[in-house]
Amino acid sequence: LRIGFPIRGPAPAWATVVALIIVLAGSGYAWSRIYTSDYKADLGRDYIKSMDEAGRKDDPQLLEKVAGILGEALSANPHNFWALETLSHCRFRQRKYEECLTTCRTLLAEVPDYTGAYLRMARSYLMLEKDDEALRYYRLAYRFTSEPDTLFEINHLLAKPYVKQPEKALPYYRAVLDRKPDHPAANYMAGRAYAALGRFEDAERAYRKALSYGPGAYNNLALLLEAE
């Protein structure tokens, strides 16, 4: 072992001890940064969870506070997966879609097959009204997962040009229902298409399966039943 100046023969004991102290100090510093990063990332995730439970998921001040905590986590360790993942989630909630996209790209550089990043990028592009880019990232997401929810988001975007052509929109929702017959959102949209086509019995069946989707399904079903 040598310390940076010439020593003839075996290194004296004091030199070995000094070198060992230097190595351990550097190692300790690295581990302390990793610990700090993990702690901050967990703290940010806990904040998000608490906000959801308290019904304050879009509170701008709390979201900015969380973003600051996650920024500190990434300063300590730029490769921290959970800090990157939670920050992208946070930026999306803040409607800072360009910043969300930047964070997702960094996340994908770390984990190229992470479906969540592709989906968040697709949704960000959708909010920025860049449908072609949104569709591209939805399809990339679908390469890594065949979840019906992802297929619904893709097909809902593909059906977007046919808002006034229900006969062309319907097959996109039927494709989701072929995979998952009780999918609430797909049933809701299929119900709307059936109703527009005058297929009221099909619309009623679809709306009944979509009741967990939200008030729209209840309201549309009620209107159908009143018209009978």
Side-chain angles (χ1 to χ4, degrees), residues 7-84:
I7 299 176
R8 293 173 179 268
W14 64 265
T16 303
V17 171
V18 170
L20 184 59
I21 289 172
I22 292 171
V23 170
L24 290 175
S27 176
Y29 176 71
W31 276 109
S32 84
R33 288 180 67 82
I34 292 171
Y35 173 80
T36 299
S37 180
D38 288 347
Y39 170 75
K40 294 285 186 179
D42 288 344
L43 185 60
R45 294 170 70 195
D46 288 343
Y47 260 107
I48 291 286
K49 183 178 178 181
S50 298
M51 288 168 66
D52 290 349
E53 292 172 350
R56 301 176 65 187
K57 62 184 294 182
D58 295 320
D59 186 305
Q61 290 183 327
L62 286 176
L63 284 171
E64 195 56 42
K65 182 175 182 177
V66 172
I69 292 169
L70 295 168
E72 292 172 5
L74 290 168
S75 293
N77 177 14
H79 306 288
N80 189 315
F81 171 84
W82 284 114
L84 287 166

Side-chain angles (χ1 to χ4, degrees), residues 19-193:
L20 184 59
I21 289 172
I22 292 171
V23 170
L24 290 175
S27 176
Y29 176 71
W31 276 109
S32 84
R33 288 180 67 82
I34 292 171
Y35 173 80
T36 299
S37 180
D38 288 347
Y39 170 75
K40 294 285 186 179
D42 288 344
L43 185 60
R45 294 170 70 195
D46 288 343
Y47 260 107
I48 291 286
K49 183 178 178 181
S50 298
M51 288 168 66
D52 290 349
E53 292 172 350
R56 301 176 65 187
K57 62 184 294 182
D58 295 320
D59 186 305
Q61 290 183 327
L62 286 176
L63 284 171
E64 195 56 42
K65 182 175 182 177
V66 172
I69 292 169
L70 295 168
E72 292 172 5
L74 290 168
S75 293
N77 177 14
H79 306 288
N80 189 315
F81 171 84
W82 284 114
L84 287 166
E85 205 285 332
T86 310
L87 182 59
S88 72
H89 181 59
C90 184
R91 291 309 191 197
F92 186 85
R93 284 193 178 186
Q94 290 178 293
R95 298 177 176 83
K96 295 184 177 182
Y97 302 118
E98 293 290 356
E99 292 182 38
C100 177
L101 289 168
T102 299
T103 306
C104 285
R105 291 187 190 102
T106 305
L107 186 55
L108 287 171
E110 297 291 329
V111 188
D113 60 351
Y114 181 52
T115 307
Y118 287 112
L119 284 173
R120 201 159 286 145
M121 290 184 77
R123 291 163 187 159
S124 294
Y125 278 120
L126 198 59
M127 299 306 294
L128 292 168
E129 298 183 348
K130 296 181 179 180
D131 290 359
D132 289 344
E133 283 298 299
L135 186 58
R136 177 187 167 212
Y137 279 93
Y138 273 130
R139 284 174 167 158
L140 284 169
Y142 199 65
R143 286 171 52 194
F144 299 107
T145 177
S146 56
E147 288 293 322
D149 286 346
T150 306
L151 180 60
F152 171 78
E153 291 192 48
I154 294 170
N155 283 11
H156 187 50
L157 183 56
L158 290 171
K160 189 176 178 180
Y162 306 119
V163 172
K164 296 183 179 180
Q165 297 174 278
E167 72 283 358
K168 292 185 178 180
L170 183 59
Y172 290 107
Y173 301 115
R174 286 295 328 160
V176 181
L177 295 171
D178 287 343
R179 292 282 312 282
K180 188 177 180 182
D182 60 347
H183 192 282
N187 272 298
Y188 175 73
M189 296 306 300
R192 290 181 59 177

